[in-house]
Structure formats: C-alpha cells, structure tokens
Amino acid sequence: MPYTHGGNRGRRTSAPRRVLTTGLAALLTTAGALAVTASPAAARWVLPASVTYTDAGQPDVAFAAATDVPVGTWEADNVKTTARAYFTFDLTPYRGRQVISAQVMTGEGAVADCDKPRELELWRTDPPAATLTWNSAPVVREKIGDLGSTAPCPAGYLELAVTDAFRQAVADGRDSLTLMARIRGDHEESKHYGRRLSTFGVSLLANAAPDVPGKLSVEGLPCADGQAIGTATPPLSAEVTDPDAGPASAEPVAATFAWWPVDRPTERTESTSPEKAAPTVFTYRFPDGSLVDGGTYAFAVRASDAYASSDWSAECRFTVDVSSPAQPTVSSTDYPADEGWYGGVGIPGRFTFTANDAADTVGFQYWLLGGPTTYVALDTPGGSATVTVAPDHAVETLSVQAVDRAGNRSPLTSYVFRANDTSPTVTAANPTAGYGEPRTLTFSPGMENVVEYTYRLNSGPEQTVAAAADGTAVVTITSTQVGSNAVYVRSRTADGLTSGEEVYGFTISNRPTVTSVEYPMGKTGAPAGTPGTFVFGPGMPGVTEYVYSFDGRPAQTVAAGADGSASVSYTPTTAGLHRVTVYSRTGDGFVSQIFSSLFFAAQAA
C-alpha cells in the first residue's frame, strides 16, 4: 500500500509532505527553548553530523538523506523493502560540559497507513562503520524510547527525551552518539507501519561550569606576598569568565566571595553576589567594622551559573594597616637648617632622610615648594635614604614624608634651608627703549665658570647665548607687548649646574605724548582765551595720524609728519580744568593706547 498523508489512502501527494516539513522547521526555529540567544546556557538546535539509512533489499548499499528518511517497510514497483535510519551526532563540542537536557524533535513527512498504531522506536548503537549498510550495521545497545506513540497521524511534530543517552555519552568521553530509528518487532516488515521522517535534530542544553575566577585584587592591587592595605574597608574584586558566554549567548554568572582571618580560619564569611553576564568583574565590599588594624586576612572566590560552580580560586592574603609611620628626620651637611647661607640656587646638595620606626617605613616622598613629588624606596624597611636636591630659591623648603608598605604617609617634616643667590644680573644699555625699539641687555654671572645663558622674553621661546671669557653675554630684545614685560635668565656652568632665575622687568607703552608751551599737561597754563599749540609725539614707530578730542568735543584727525609728530591748535575759552584725549594710528590701521591728561587755564586778567 502506498504512503498516505493526513489519512488519505490510496494516493500519494507531495504538498502535504512539504507542509509538514516546513511546519516543523518553523517550530524548531521559533521555539523559545531553541533560541540561541536564550540564557542561561541556551539550548541549541543540533543537527546530526550524518544521516543514513539502510535497505534490507540492498544490504550492501549505503544511503544518505537529510530529510524524507524512510523507516520500516514499503513497496515500490512490486518490490518490498525494509529500512532503518541512523542519525549520528558530533559530541566533541560538549567535552567537559554537563548535558542538562536533550530532546529529539522530528516530524512525519509521509505515513503508510494511519489506521495502524505508530510503532516508531529509537535505539542507541555503537559508532557505525565508515560505510553504513544493512550488512555492516552497528551493534544495537539499548532502546531509548518510542517516538510519539500517542501523537496524531501523520504528525508534523514528534519528540522524545534523550537526555540520559547524551549525558552518558558525553560523560564517557565519546566523540559521537548514533541513534537508530526502526519499526517495532515483526511490524518492521509490514508495509502498513512504514513512514518517512522529516528534519531530525536534537534540542540540546549543555552547560560548562564557569572558569575559576582570576585577577583577584584588593583595593585595586593584585595579590602579592606581604600585601598591606591602608584601609579597613578595601574592595575585593575578581574576574569571572564562562566558556558558554559568547557574542550570541549571554551567560549569567554569580561570584561567591569567602574571607576569613588567617589565624582563625573557622570564622569564614561567604557572600554571593547578584548575577551578571560573563565575562565580568565582581566586587565585594566589607561591612564597616569587619576588619581590624594589624589583622591579616585571606579571601578566595568561586563562580557559579545556573547549573554548576567552579573550583575555588587560590587564596589571596593581605594585612590591614591604617596606622601612619613615624615622622622622618631630615639632615644635610651641604645645606644645614640654620641661619647660614650655603651652596647656591641650582647647586645640588645631599639630604638624608631617616625613618623613626623599627621597620614600618619602606620609602620616602619629598618635594621642594611648588615642585614635583619624588619617591625613593628603602632597601631595608626602617632605614634611611640619601638624595640629591638642587634648591630653586634662596630660601627653600624641602618637605618629606615617610611611606609604609600600605601606602600610609607620616606627618610632614619641613626642612628649611638657605642657598646663596647664583642668579645672573641684568643691566640695560637703553632702559627707556620704547614700543618696538631694540633694547640691549648685558647678562653678568652670579656663580663661577659660567659658559652660557638661557633666556626668554615673556612667554616666548627659550634662547641660548654663549658667555664671553669674563662670563658675560650681550643680547638684544625687541618687545611689542604693551604693559609689563619680563626677561627670564638663568646661567649654566661648564659642569652643567644651573643658576637661580633672574627676572628683569620693564614696562612698555605705545600711547602718544602731548606737550604744549601755553598749556603744559597737569599744570596751570596761560589765561583762558589764549591760543595754544599742542604737539603730539609718537609712542611707536610708523605713526601716520592722530585722533584727538578736547573737552569731550567730537574727535578730529590730523596727519603726522615725517618724524611721526603733529601739531594742533586749541583755545580754551573758560578758566579752569580742561582735558585732551588722543591716540595714534599707523598706516596699516594699528591703534595705540589712549593718552588722556588734564591741563589748567588761568583766569583772564
């Protein structure tokens, strides 16, 4: 009898078979248990590595098929034959993992006779030969169960739990598992019980235990022998990873922190964190009052997911030390801390720092006023260290703190000493040079064996000039910075010693000058009504005109002469104070500062 679909006997159609197969595929790809991104430890839809069937009528021929796999007996062209189907699954991806659940899922693409009960069995076999035929069939080991004995016929969806078979095969370290589908007993040879299976696969949920936590740290410091921590509430942290976590699957994990006093291991405290997605870092914070100063503690971390836990990590030990070391002593024979003047600014001297505790201090940090902080370690805790420091100022303060192994710092020791002034002197050949005019400066040494000077004008680039045989150097500077200016100078000896810094300051203005014979600025002049001549002089090069106003009247412009000056007339009509305001302008439009001054007209006779 030919296969039937949906119970219709006596004819074969292909459409129903496609409907059933498509329905199964849709179900398998949309079922929540099969979604790859599900968590924790998402179940995966696993297809067989190979699908074959054997034919009793062709006992030495191997047949392969992914879908529409025949099981049982059928008749075609008056030839009756019997088939068994074999599905082999690759287990190598699951080595070291725990199989949580495994469910075979398939469907019927065609059924010989739906009036007959479904007697579809699933068996475990030994690994098949390379070429699987009826005559080379593998040894059958045990029956796993019946596929859909009570499901409607034909069934678009059949399932059977195969957890034990997969779990045992993985636990035994096998590389593969082969399942055989056949019709029960003597009915295998009856053409009324045959059927064809559509897509055959397993919804497999397997879990690997999280990795042993790593990168343990205390207060952000990695575990190390003799680790001391300068707080009684240090955060503990550990990194947790899980083999099941990946771009397509989030794996929730938790971390259990266990800690205890090293001398009282029975006083163990454990705390498990809320879950987070691996890989991640977990942090544990001690409740206030948990740890005491001087106590030594150990902690370890274990990771867990929904099904398994890792081993405990190696323990990490630390000692709580919240006591500051003793204040250090500072001494120097090069720069004694008395009222005397020694060495010189920029000339290095040796300073000795001495710890005042038995063995707690492991180093010192020190700095000059306004300078960077430097750290020097001790070879032997509790000892002393000698450093070389060059003072930057005539009166200098060297600040020193002892540092213990937990990073605690002692009270500050301030060592005040005096250094001779080594800065050069600066003299100007033309100290009244104005805006944009060259100014000649001579640098003279304040220390012996000076070979060069380094200087800069305001915030400009540093420049270097060699010293003459007598140690002096001459430079020319030109400033167009209105207001305060400064030249910063240091000398350097042949031995590489740098002097203190000398600052030569001067002020520049580019405002014009105003003079008048009749009405001198800031003084009492001629009687009101007397015509006055006012001469504007340039305060910068290149002046071409002046803009001026008397007593707040509208501004007027006058051209400058070849020498940059200009003259204007003004007659004050009333006695008393009057004001003149003027600024200059160059040919390219640059405007000077404003000159503004009062003058006084006398009472007319």
Side-chain angles (χ1 to χ4, degrees):
M1 179 179 295
Y3 287 96
T4 64
H5 305 268
N8 295 322
R9 302 184 194 174
R11 60 189 179 93
R12 297 188 61 163
T13 60
S14 56
R17 180 179 301 168
R18 288 199 300 269
V19 170
L20 292 173
T21 303
T22 303
L24 175 64
L27 174 63
L28 296 180
T29 55
T30 58
L34 302 177
V36 172
T37 57
S39 59
R44 286 170 170 79
W45 175 235
V46 181
L47 292 173
S50 67
V51 179
T52 60
Y53 67 91
T54 61
D55 184 347
Q58 302 178 72
D60 295 316
V61 179
F63 300 88
T67 59
D68 202 30
V69 184
V71 179
T73 298
W74 72 94
E75 186 177 289
D77 299 327
N78 297 318
V79 176
K80 183 179 177 183
T81 188
T82 301
R84 293 175 180 174
Y86 296 85
F87 307 92
T88 298
F89 293 86
D90 180 14
L91 299 183
T92 56
Y94 307 101
R95 288 173 181 161
R97 283 171 160 77
Q98 175 190 2
V99 174
I100 308 302
S101 65
Q103 192 89 357
V104 161
M105 294 182 181
T106 186
E108 293 175 326
V111 177
D113 186 353
C114 276
D115 288 338
K116 299 298 183 182
R118 181 182 295 108
E119 296 185 350
L120 185 60
E121 299 178 335
L122 204 61
W123 294 74
R124 182 182 73 84
T125 74
D126 282 351
T131 301
L132 176 58
T133 67
W134 188 274
N135 284 341
S136 65
V139 176
V140 177
R141 290 302 177 183
E142 71 268 345
K143 180 180 176 181
I144 295 176
D146 297 315
L147 264 169
S149 57
T150 60
C153 181
Y157 179 77
L158 297 173
E159 65 178 1
L160 178 65
V162 291
T163 303
D164 290 343
F166 273 82
R167 182 178 294 160
Q168 189 61 52
V170 171
D172 291 344
R174 299 177 197 161
D175 291 338
S176 64
L177 174 65
T178 299
L179 302 178
M180 177 187 72
R182 59 163 292 171
I183 301 301
R184 181 184 305 153
D186 294 340
H187 289 166
E188 185 178 31
E189 298 180 359
S190 171
K191 62 183 181 181
H192 295 284
Y193 291 86
R195 52 241 304 129
R196 290 179 180 268
L197 299 181
S198 58
T199 303
F200 188 101
V202 173
S203 173
L204 182 62
L205 176 59
N207 181 70
D211 300 313
V212 175
K215 297 184 181 180
L216 274 63
S217 68
V218 190
E219 188 72 8
L221 300 173
C223 295
D225 292 340
Q227 186 73 271
I229 303 299
T231 174
T233 56
L236 309 180
S237 68
E239 182 182 69
V240 174
T241 59
D242 191 296
D244 292 322
S249 60
E251 182 69 6
V253 291
T256 299
F257 286 80
W259 65 271
W260 60 94
V262 168
D263 58 349
R264 301 186 304 280
T266 57
E267 298 180 13
R268 181 184 180 100
T269 298
E270 293 188 6
S271 176
T272 300
S273 68
E275 289 182 337
K276 295 196 293 183
T280 186
V281 174
F282 286 94
T283 300
Y284 172 79
R285 296 187 178 276
F286 290 96
D288 290 339
S290 300
L291 310 182
V292 298
D293 187 23
T296 299
Y297 302 88
F299 78 96
V301 188
R302 181 176 66 186
S304 59
D305 59 21
Y307 303 103
S309 297
S310 72
D311 292 335
W312 285 98
S313 69
E315 71 175 42
C316 179
R317 294 190 175 193
F318 63 94
T319 297
V320 174
D321 181 359
V322 294
S323 299
S324 298
Q327 187 175 11
T329 300
V330 181
S331 61
S332 175
T333 56
D334 295 328
Y335 289 99
D338 55 26
E339 298 298 320
W341 298 85
Y342 302 92
V345 175
I347 299 177
R350 290 167 62 83
F351 297 80
T352 298
F353 310 149
T354 303
N356 288 314
D357 48 41
D360 199 28
T361 297
V362 296
F364 302 93
Q365 65 176 21
Y366 62 97
W367 63 94
L368 292 175
L369 184 64
T373 299
T374 304
Y375 178 80
V376 57
L378 290 174
D379 294 334
T380 302
S384 62
T386 299
V387 301
T388 299
V389 176
D392 290 328
H393 306 92
V395 179
E396 191 65 273
T397 300
L398 179 62
S399 299
V400 185
Q401 286 180 303
V403 181
D404 67 16
R405 59 194 179 120
N408 299 306
R409 294 168 176 78
S410 72
L412 188 68
T413 296
S414 296
Y415 184 85
V416 181
F417 62 97
R418 291 166 173 77
N420 292 309
D421 184 13
T422 59
S423 60
T425 58
V426 180
T427 55
N430 52 338
T432 60
Y435 180 93
E437 296 179 343
R439 183 181 299 255
T440 301
L441 304 178
T442 299
F443 303 152
S444 300
M447 58 195 306
E448 296 181 353
N449 203 21
V450 169
V451 295
E452 66 180 18
Y453 295 88
T454 300
Y455 69 99
R456 61 182 171 88
L457 172 62
N458 299 320
S459 59
E462 282 197 342
Q463 302 182 64
T464 300
V465 60
D470 63 354
T472 64
V474 178
V475 300
T476 299
I477 62 169
T478 301
S479 177
T480 55
Q481 177 172 296
V482 174
S484 297
N485 287 255
V487 176
Y488 303 87
V489 189
R490 289 184 185 270
S491 63
R492 184 175 292 107
T493 70
D495 298 329
L497 297 179
T498 301
S499 73
E501 185 175 69
E502 174 68 6
V503 181
Y504 168 75
F506 58 97
T507 300
I508 287 182
S509 170
N510 63 5
R511 62 173 57 89
T513 60
V514 178
T515 59
S516 175
V517 174
E518 295 82 10
Y519 297 103
M521 298 299 102
K523 297 180 180 179
T524 300
T530 304
T533 298
F534 295 82
V535 179
F536 303 152
M540 60 182 181
V543 171
T544 58
E545 63 182 10
Y546 295 88
V547 179
Y548 67 95
S549 172
F550 286 97
D551 294 330
R553 289 178 170 82
Q556 302 180 65
T557 301
V558 61
D563 63 352
S565 66
S567 296
V568 298
S569 297
Y570 179 68
T571 302
T573 58
T574 60
L577 292 175
H578 297 269
R579 179 179 292 278
V580 59
T581 301
V582 61
Y583 63 85
S584 61
R585 186 157 49 206
T586 65
D588 56 6
F590 184 78
V591 176
S592 73
Q593 295 172 286
I594 296 174
F595 174 90
S596 182
S597 183
L598 298 172
F599 60 91
F600 189 82
Q603 186 70 41

